[in-house]
């Protein structure tokens, strides 16, 4: 079965067709700009353009970077405020005329990694999946089951700074940090998560995870405890598409 997965992030919308049986992307991955100034209507227009380019009209799976409660968005610090308090399933269905499943973007990526990523994720009692991008997305995987809708990137690090203010991938770019400088900051974030939640395994996602070898030496954890997401930056797209399996 082929379905369209859409990964909405703080800097881009990415989408591709996915074979749900294999977890493979079977089309070009298309992108559109997306940031805190992009209004919901403009994002919907970009998604329609992507659908036309891929000649797709079936169900949609959308990974969204925010706090969702029964599909209603309660918080999305990296996106336009007009998104808030909308039922996103209704919004996307009305604007695309396609049945839609919406889930947290980190949960979508975790779903893909759980099914098609490193086998250790399935066998670990408590794994913490973190997407390092504009912010920090999160998912807890407990005995092979995802604890949905966590927002651990918004936990306070110190003062008014959140975990993502300190350790998101965007921080490295914005502050022009070296791998060592950023690795030390990320390590301080992981140490707090380790203390609070005692995960047996950290799985790092987002594009920067492909460069784990450049900063792993600055993490005060055994190498086998901190691993890169196998599907990399494609995980959110694949997991979003997988979520449509519940649509008949």
């Amino acid at each position: 079965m082929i379905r369209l997965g859409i990964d909405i992030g703080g800097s881009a919308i990415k989408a591709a067709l996915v074979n749900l049986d294999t977890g493979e992307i079977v089309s070009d991955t298309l992108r559109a700009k997306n940031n805190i100034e992009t209004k919901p209507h403009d994002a919907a227009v970009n998604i329609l353009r992507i659908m036309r380019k891929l000649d797709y009209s079936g169900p949609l799976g959308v990974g969204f970077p925010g706090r969702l409660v029964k599909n209603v968005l309660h918080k999305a610090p990296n996106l336009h405020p007009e998104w808030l308090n909308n039922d996103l399933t209704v919004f996307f269905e009305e604007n695309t005329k396609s049945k839609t499943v919406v889930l947290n973007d980190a949960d979508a990526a975790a779903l893909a990694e759980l099914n098609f990523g490193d086998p250790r994720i399935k066998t670990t009692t408590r794994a913490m999946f973190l997407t390092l991008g504009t912010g920090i997305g999160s998912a807890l995987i407990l005995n092979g089951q995802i604890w949905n809708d966590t927002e651990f990137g918004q936990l306070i690090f110190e003062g008014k700074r959140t975990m993502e203010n300190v350790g998101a991938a965007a921080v490295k770019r914005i502050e022009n940090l070296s791998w060592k400088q950023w690795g030390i900051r990320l390590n301080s974030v992981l140490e707090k998560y380790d203390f609070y939640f005692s995960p047996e395994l950290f799985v790092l996602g987002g594009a920067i995870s492909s460069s784990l070898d450049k900063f792993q030496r600055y993490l005060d954890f055994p190498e086998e405890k901190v691993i890169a997401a196998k599907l990399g930056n494609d995980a959110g797209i694949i997991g979003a598409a997988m979520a449509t399996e519940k649509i008949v």
Side-chain angles (χ1 to χ4, degrees):
M1 184 187 303
I2 305 298
R3 291 281 169 85
L4 181 62
I6 300 170
D7 183 9
I8 295 180
S11 60
I13 296 172
K14 304 187 294 291
L17 299 177
V18 178
N19 183 325
L20 300 190
D21 297 321
T22 64
E24 294 178 303
I25 288 179
V26 293
S27 72
D28 291 336
T29 297
L30 303 184
R31 299 172 63 95
K33 288 184 179 180
N34 195 64
N35 55 42
I36 200 166
E37 297 179 357
T38 306
K39 293 185 176 183
H41 171 74
D42 298 322
V45 168
N46 285 332
I47 290 171
L48 282 170
R49 287 174 181 159
I50 288 170
M51 292 174 68
R52 284 196 293 269
K53 286 181 179 179
L54 293 174
D55 192 24
Y56 182 83
S57 59
L60 306 179
V62 179
F64 199 89
R67 167 74 170 143
L68 298 169
V69 179
K70 295 181 179 179
N71 300 319
V72 175
L73 183 67
H74 286 250
K75 189 172 185 179
N78 297 310
L79 293 183
H80 196 284
E82 285 188 11
W83 285 105
L84 293 176
N85 302 315
N86 281 300
D87 184 317
L88 297 186
T89 298
V90 172
F91 172 82
F92 287 115
E93 289 187 343
E94 288 182 345
N95 282 275
T96 66
K97 309 306 178 187
S98 291
K99 290 185 177 180
T100 304
V101 173
V102 178
L103 69 166
N104 176 269
D105 60 338
D107 290 342
L111 178 63
E113 292 292 340
L114 181 62
N115 286 274
F116 298 109
D118 193 301
R120 286 174 287 182
I121 300 173
K122 263 187 179 174
T123 58
T124 299
T125 301
R126 187 185 294 120
M128 179 174 280
F129 179 80
L130 301 171
T131 57
L132 306 175
T134 305
I136 294 180
S138 62
L140 271 183
I141 303 173
L142 307 174
N143 296 309
Q145 299 292 319
I146 298 172
W147 181 4
N148 292 320
D149 298 319
T150 62
E151 286 290 342
F152 296 145
Q154 296 302 306
L155 292 178
I156 297 299
F157 180 83
E158 63 180 8
K160 294 184 179 180
R161 292 195 300 169
T162 64
M163 297 292 200
E164 67 179 33
N165 293 153
V166 176
V171 172
K172 181 183 186 305
R173 174 181 54 79
I174 292 168
E175 299 188 25
N176 195 29
L177 301 176
S178 67
W179 285 111
K180 181 177 181 180
Q181 290 170 321
W182 181 73
I184 291 171
R185 289 199 188 186
L186 178 63
N187 182 70
S188 65
V189 169
L190 296 183
E191 284 182 331
K192 286 186 180 289
Y193 286 145
D194 193 54
F195 179 78
Y196 294 149
F197 303 106
S198 300
E200 298 166 25
L201 183 69
F202 284 109
V203 185
L204 305 184
I208 205 166
S209 65
S210 64
S211 300
L212 178 59
D213 61 316
K214 296 180 180 178
F215 61 87
Q216 189 156 38
R217 73 192 75 172
Y218 309 116
L219 306 180
D220 294 328
F221 297 92
E223 286 192 8
E224 63 270 16
K225 183 164 180 171
V226 183
I227 65 173
K230 182 178 178 181
L231 303 175
N233 221 23
D234 293 334
I237 293 173
I238 296 167
M242 292 174 63
T244 67
E245 288 184 297
K246 65 182 73 173
I247 297 177
V248 178

